[in-house]
């Protein structure tokens, strides 16, 4: 599975505003916006909502976490292989709120490659970006955990992380997230070489989510 770049990923996390029917409605609004302004926008959705949302929209839908297994005796897992026929296109992995170890990472990415799914691995530091390259994910998202969900963006507080990650990984491989809320946050990330953003609270919890998402997307164009 290939995603077009630049890419905006809206992480629905487990916010009330973006789960269940609220999540379904938000995904439909995002689909309308993506078609209207011609920007690639994907949504990263709670496991419990994946089937509902993947059946409701044609924009890319990502899981927030997967397990590197196929069909079989895997009680309580989120098997990659089961997601594909539901219309799920890929997954985040190793998000700072859902960290995994090397074995999990290797198995999940291997299974995702077999099933033609797109992988976005999250890193908390430039060193971790460098370490994660060996797993060969499609994209790496750098998100300093101390800035996630806050008011100050990575673009403002730690812009050097973006340029350092781009230096190591090359262009077209680095997404940036944490505290992104304004068009300027996105502009800086783009100027420093990021090929997209990962955003959650700045959109999902905004009074008018589509207004702010539109601004962020247009800044990336
Ligand atoms: O995955 C996106 C993320 O963790 C950033 O969250 O709320 O700072 O946009 P937020």
């Amino acid at each position: 599975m290939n995603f077009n770049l630049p890419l905006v990923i809206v992480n629905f996390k487990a916010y009330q505003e973006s789960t269940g029917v609220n999540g379904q409605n938000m995904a439909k609004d995002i689909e309308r916006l993506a078609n209207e302004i011609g920007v690639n926008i994907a949504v990263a959705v709670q496991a419990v909502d994946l089937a509902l949302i993947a059946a409701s929209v044609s924009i890319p839908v990502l899981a927030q976490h997967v397990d590197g297994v196929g069909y079989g005796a895997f009680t309580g897992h989120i098997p990659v292989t089961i997601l594909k026929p539901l219309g799920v296109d890929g997954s985040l992995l190793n998000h700072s709120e859902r960290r995994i170890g090397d074995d999990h990472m290797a198995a999940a990415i291997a299974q995702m490659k077999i099933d033609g799914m797109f992988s976005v691995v999250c890193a908390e530091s430039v060193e971790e970006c460098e370490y994660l390259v060996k797993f060969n994910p499609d994209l790496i998202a750098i998100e300093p955990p101390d800035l996630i969900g806050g008011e100050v963006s990575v673009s403002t507080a730690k812009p050097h992380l973006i340029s350092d990650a781009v230096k190591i990984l090359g262009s077209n491989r680095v997404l940036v997230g944490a505290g992104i809320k304004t068009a300027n946050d996105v502009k800086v990330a783009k100027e420093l070489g990021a090929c997209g953003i990962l955003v959650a609270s700045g959109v999902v919890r905004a009074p008018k989510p589509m207004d702010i998402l539109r601004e962020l997307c247009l800044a990336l164009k």
Side-chain angles (χ1 to χ4, degrees):
M1 171 93 204
N2 283 320
F3 275 29
N4 293 324
L5 300 175
L7 174 67
V8 173
I9 300 177
V10 182
N11 184 355
F12 282 8
K13 301 202 172 182
Y15 289 124
Q16 189 171 7
E17 295 90 334
S18 50
T19 49
V21 174
N22 291 341
Q24 183 186 29
N25 289 334
M26 190 172 281
K28 286 181 182 171
D29 288 344
I30 291 175
E31 176 180 49
R32 261 191 298 277
L33 179 67
N35 291 336
E36 182 198 326
I37 63 178
V39 173
N40 308 303
I41 314 177
V43 288
V45 172
Q46 264 292 313
V48 289
D49 291 330
L50 280 168
L52 175 71
I53 292 182
S56 304
V57 295
S58 54
I59 54 172
V61 174
L62 303 174
Q64 296 174 358
H65 166 84
V66 285
D67 297 305
V69 293
Y71 293 110
F74 300 115
T75 306
H77 289 64
I78 306 173
V80 171
T81 310
I82 285 177
L83 298 180
K84 184 73 178 172
L86 298 180
V88 177
D89 303 290
S91 186
L92 303 181
L93 277 174
N94 198 43
H95 190 279
S96 161
E97 292 148 12
R98 188 62 174 92
R99 299 276 285 169
I100 57 175
D102 284 9
D103 291 351
H104 194 135
M105 179 96 64
I109 292 181
Q111 190 65 49
M112 289 169 88
K113 287 192 191 303
I114 291 169
D115 289 324
M117 307 265 278
F118 192 81
S119 55
V120 180
V121 165
C122 301
E124 294 185 341
S125 64
V126 173
E127 293 70 32
E128 195 180 8
C129 284
E130 199 164 15
Y131 181 76
L132 293 173
V133 169
K134 66 179 178 190
F135 295 102
N136 199 22
D138 292 302
L139 294 174
I140 296 184
I142 183 156
E143 297 201 317
D146 50 316
L147 299 176
I148 290 177
E151 292 305 316
V152 182
S153 75
V154 57
S155 310
T156 304
K158 302 185 178 176
H160 57 280
L161 294 189
I162 306 172
S163 38
D164 288 352
V166 170
K167 234 179 265 161
I168 290 166
L169 301 170
S171 54
N172 291 344
R173 197 96 193 273
V174 178
L175 297 180
V176 175
I180 290 185
K181 291 201 167 45
T182 68
N184 193 55
D185 295 333
V186 179
K187 247 189 229 157
V188 170
K190 184 183 167 189
E191 278 163 16
L192 295 173
C195 64
I197 58 159
L198 197 47
V199 61
S201 55
V203 167
V204 169
R205 312 208 76 194
K208 293 187 175 170
M210 292 313 113
D211 288 359
I212 179 69
L213 183 57
R214 176 190 296 268
E215 277 178 33
L216 301 183
C217 289
L218 292 177
L220 191 63
K221 243 184 152 177

